[in-house]
């Protein structure tokens, strides 16, 4: 069982919609991540929060907006997405070893 | 610039056979990770290798790290069908606690 919980598991949205992906972990990890994964590709890092502060933004378009309300929660706000943004969005957390613990992912389809 | 190469990218093998997946990387790093991904699923951490000569084993899988050769191997012993998955190696960037460079993944199919 994963200790990183992501909701929703599936999301279909139009290009004008606003939606959010949510992630929660209770392992006490201080680093939390958003990754994007396309089929048959490795995951691509989007954002990293360390101690609830945004540490890394991998030049992600502004239509993706991360938020870390507290050390256990991570959100990804979506607005005006494009069909090419359809992908599996993975949340992860890590201890000091850097080992990533992934959630089950949110599969996003943009129509 | 750190680059990570995995090979092979695709491997079809029979149950009971042994095989090795290789992960080469181009610049110095002291952190290497192996992950497994089943079709349509998320990634599962398999091994964390943090020092030269590190060897970790879990069941039929064994991973090792040679930082001088910039090479990690994932060895499969007496493969079983349940090990069919895509395996990724990921190498930590020396100047970042958080950024990993991922290999392209090895899709492993084990036939009964």
């Amino acid at each position: 069982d994963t200790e990183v919980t992501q909701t929703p598991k599936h999301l279909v949205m139009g290009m004008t919609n606003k939606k959010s992906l949510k992630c929660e972990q209770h392992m006490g990890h201080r680093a939390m991540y958003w990754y994007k994964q396309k089929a048959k590709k490795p995951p691509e890092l989007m954002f990293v929060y360390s101690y609830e502060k945004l540490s890394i933004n991998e030049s992600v378009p502004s239509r993706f907006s991360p938020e870390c309300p507290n050390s256990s929660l991570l959100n990804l706000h979506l607005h005006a997405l494009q069909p090419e943004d359809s992908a599996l969005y993975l949340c992860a957390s890590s201890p000091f070893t850097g080992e990533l613990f992934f959630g089950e992912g949110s599969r996003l389809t943009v129509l | 610039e750190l680059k990570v190469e995995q090979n092979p990218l695709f491997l079809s093998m029979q149950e009971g056979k042994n095989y090795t997946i290789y992960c080469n990387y181009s610049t110095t790093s002291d952190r290497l990770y192996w992950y497994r991904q089943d079709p349509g699923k998320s990634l599962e951490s398999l091994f964390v290798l943090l020092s030269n000569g590190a060897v970790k084993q879990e069941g039929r899988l064994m991973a090792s790290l040679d930082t001088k050769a910039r090479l990690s191997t994932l060895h499969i012993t007496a493969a079983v069908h349940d090990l069919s998955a895509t395996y990724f190696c990921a190498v930590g960037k020396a100047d970042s606690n958080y950024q990993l460079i991922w290999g392209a993944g090895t899709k492993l199919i084990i036939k009964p």
Side-chain angles (χ1 to χ4, degrees):
Chain A
D1 289 343
T2 181
E3 296 187 64
V4 177
T5 304
Q6 286 187 247
T7 57
K9 288 185 170 43
H10 299 275
L11 179 62
V12 179
M13 60 187 291
M15 289 189 285
T16 58
N17 292 157
K18 287 185 180 180
K19 297 286 184 182
S20 297
L21 306 181
K22 298 184 183 299
C23 175
E24 187 170 7
Q25 61 94 8
H26 292 288
M27 293 181 282
H29 295 165
R30 291 307 190 184
M32 295 187 74
Y33 307 69
W34 281 113
Y35 277 87
K36 171 184 177 180
Q37 188 180 29
K38 292 279 208 177
K40 301 185 180 182
K41 297 290 186 183
E44 301 171 40
L45 182 63
M46 300 176 72
F47 303 102
V48 180
Y49 275 83
S50 175
Y51 292 90
E52 301 165 45
K53 293 185 179 178
L54 184 63
S55 292
I56 295 174
N57 175 344
E58 293 284 26
S59 302
V60 179
S62 60
R63 57 186 183 267
F64 295 92
S65 175
E67 179 194 18
C68 187
N70 60 54
S71 60
S72 300
L73 294 174
L74 188 64
N75 298 323
L76 186 63
H77 302 299
L78 314 171
H79 174 54
L81 295 191
Q82 304 297 310
E84 59 263 30
D85 296 322
S86 298
L88 181 66
Y89 288 84
L90 294 160
C91 174
S93 66
S94 72
F96 72 95
T97 60
E99 179 184 12
L100 295 171
F101 292 81
F102 287 93
E104 292 185 352
S106 293
R107 190 164 297 281
L108 174 66
T109 302
V110 182
L111 301 176
Chain B
E1 181 189 357
L2 176 59
K3 293 185 179 180
V4 178
E5 284 190 7
Q6 266 183 258
N7 65 83
L9 298 182
F10 180 80
L11 178 57
S12 179
M13 55 194 291
Q14 295 293 127
E15 278 192 325
K17 300 290 187 183
N18 303 332
Y19 211 81
T20 301
I21 300 170
Y22 297 89
C23 178
N24 293 272
Y25 54 100
S26 60
T27 64
T28 300
S29 177
D30 57 1
R31 296 176 291 131
L32 191 140
Y33 309 87
W34 285 97
Y35 292 90
R36 168 183 172 150
Q37 187 171 36
D38 292 312
K41 303 292 186 182
S42 185
L43 290 98
E44 174 190 1
S45 177
L46 293 176
F47 299 109
V48 178
L49 303 169
L50 300 178
S51 62
N52 186 42
V55 177
K56 298 278 184 76
Q57 183 163 4
E58 181 73 32
R60 300 174 187 274
L61 300 178
M62 183 173 70
S64 65
L65 177 61
D66 181 343
T67 58
K68 295 179 181 178
R70 297 176 185 160
L71 171 68
S72 179
T73 60
L74 180 65
H75 186 73
I76 303 151
T77 301
V80 293
H81 178 68
D82 286 353
L83 292 178
S84 297
T86 297
Y87 293 85
F88 291 98
C89 67
V91 181
K93 290 182 72 174
D95 58 351
S96 172
N97 290 332
Y98 307 111
Q99 291 169 301
L100 302 178
I101 304 300
W102 292 76
T106 297
K107 184 171 183 178
L108 175 63
I109 295 177
I110 299 169
K111 300 177 181 178

